[in-house]
Amino acid sequence: MIEARHLRVLRAVAGTGSFSAAARELGCTQPAVSQQMKALEQSAGTPLLVRAGREMRLTQAGDALVRHAAGILAGLTAAEEEVAAIAGLRAGRVRLVSFPSGSSTLVPTALAAMREAHPGTRISLVEAEPPRSVEMLREGDCDVALAFRYGSGTADAAEWDDLVVRPLLTDRLVGLVPEGHRLAGAERVRMAELAGEPWIAGCPRCRRHLVDICESAGFTPSIDFATDDYPAVVGLVGAGLGVAVLPELAVESVRVKGARTVEVEPAVEREVVALTLPDLARVPAVAATLAELERAAGR
């Protein structure tokens, strides 16, 4: 019989490449990791790991087991949490991953509400942009992922077919220009009017979308600077080094100094959603977190 604890150890060894590194990650000893791997191989009836120099490499069987491990462990978590809720326990754990502007706007309100309504539920937060946050969800490294996508007809929509998608809000992109810019006093600006300007770009996904919308307006943007840090984008624009388009959530989370926001035409929007796995959606603590994120988005 394959045990869940053995699967967790196998994933740690596969992810770190060695027994010693896996032991450090799991907070146990190297001999304990070695013993659990031996027990797992006996249960599987075939080798799962082979030594390659100082690292451990997965066999074909080991690779297959690791691929199934995330779903198996998610299902077990769902079962444990649901049974605990039925038994009347007021406990739970939710691992949340969010992109930065979501972390500073939607997440605080949702987590404060969770703490008040469910003080026994522990919630952790780490930051990652999609698609990395979605990968973390599928790999079993989080329970809820706050993510976004541009437009409903993009490839991102198909990428989420196996997930539970909770729509939260539509986030419009706004233009950002220096205070002394020729368009700083405009109420609306057509993207074509920004052709020839130096650009400040954001995260890789936002950067690709920036190129797409500029090319749709008839020009290719000249990107002088690129950064994942929204305050840095605002600072660079405020210093007169270029123009940018940012989601309204990002602008809301940053003190805008030396720059002006303007509406851009045609309107560009992104859909902000909360994602989880189907099994995890039935976990009471996860369901409550999704509900609070939805309430926070309706603020």
Side-chain angles (χ1 to χ4, degrees):
M1 180 181 293
I2 295 177
E3 298 185 28
R5 61 193 178 100
H6 293 160
L7 289 178
R8 292 189 178 95
V9 174
L10 177 63
R11 288 188 67 226
V13 174
T16 61
S18 71
F19 285 175
S20 56
R24 287 192 297 271
E25 181 177 298
L26 296 169
C28 61
T29 64
Q30 182 177 338
V33 170
S34 178
Q35 289 171 5
Q36 293 196 50
M37 285 300 89
K38 287 180 180 177
L40 180 57
E41 288 182 328
Q42 288 175 355
S43 297
T46 186
L48 303 174
L49 297 162
V50 293
R51 185 174 294 279
R54 295 185 176 182
E55 292 191 349
M56 303 301 296
R57 181 169 53 82
L58 291 171
T59 64
Q60 184 177 0
D63 181 67
L65 198 52
V66 167
R67 281 189 285 106
H68 287 285
I72 293 170
L73 294 174
L76 286 173
T77 299
E80 291 168 354
E81 293 284 358
E82 194 166 348
V83 168
I86 292 171
L89 298 179
R90 296 295 179 263
R93 179 196 68 171
V94 179
R95 297 166 299 165
L96 174 64
V97 60
S98 171
F99 54 94
S101 59
S103 298
S104 58
T105 54
L106 302 179
V107 170
T109 302
L111 297 197
M114 280 292 295
R115 176 168 291 183
E116 182 177 357
H118 309 284
T121 300
R122 296 179 292 111
I123 303 180
S124 62
L125 171 67
V126 296
E127 288 190 342
E129 298 274 2
R132 178 55 193 147
S133 56
V134 183
E135 292 172 359
M136 292 174 65
L137 177 62
R138 288 199 178 98
E139 291 168 0
D141 294 325
C142 71
D143 305 306
V144 176
L146 209 61
F148 59 85
R149 62 186 172 195
Y150 290 98
S152 58
T154 64
D156 297 330
E159 289 175 359
W160 298 349
D161 281 349
D162 60 322
L163 304 175
V164 173
V165 181
R166 180 74 65 92
L168 299 180
L169 58 85
T170 299
D171 192 17
R172 180 168 179 158
L173 269 63
V174 296
L176 199 66
V177 300
E179 283 185 344
H181 192 273
R182 59 186 171 84
L183 297 173
E187 190 173 328
R188 294 181 182 83
V189 172
R190 288 181 292 106
M191 286 297 296
E193 295 180 76
L194 297 172
E197 297 281 352
W199 283 85
I200 318 297
C203 71
R205 176 164 288 195
C206 299
R207 205 172 309 155
R208 291 194 302 272
H209 190 67
L210 169 64
V211 173
D212 289 342
I213 60 176
C214 288
E215 289 181 345
S216 296
F219 69 97
T220 299
S222 174
I223 299 175
D224 285 5
F225 304 98
T227 172
D228 293 352
D229 185 42
Y230 286 130
V233 173
V234 174
L236 290 166
V237 173
L241 296 173
V243 300
V245 289
L246 289 179
E248 286 184 321
L249 279 183
V251 175
E252 181 182 332
S253 66
V254 177
R255 181 186 175 194
V256 179
K257 184 178 179 181
R260 295 287 182 89
T261 58
V262 294
E263 288 188 24
V264 292
E265 295 180 340
V268 182
E269 298 174 337
R270 67 176 185 174
E271 182 187 10
V272 176
V273 303
L275 304 171
T276 191
L277 296 170
D279 282 336
L280 290 174
R282 298 195 298 271
V283 176
V286 171
T289 301
L290 293 174
E292 293 300 346
L293 285 168
E294 192 168 24
R295 291 190 187 96
R299 67 199 192 291

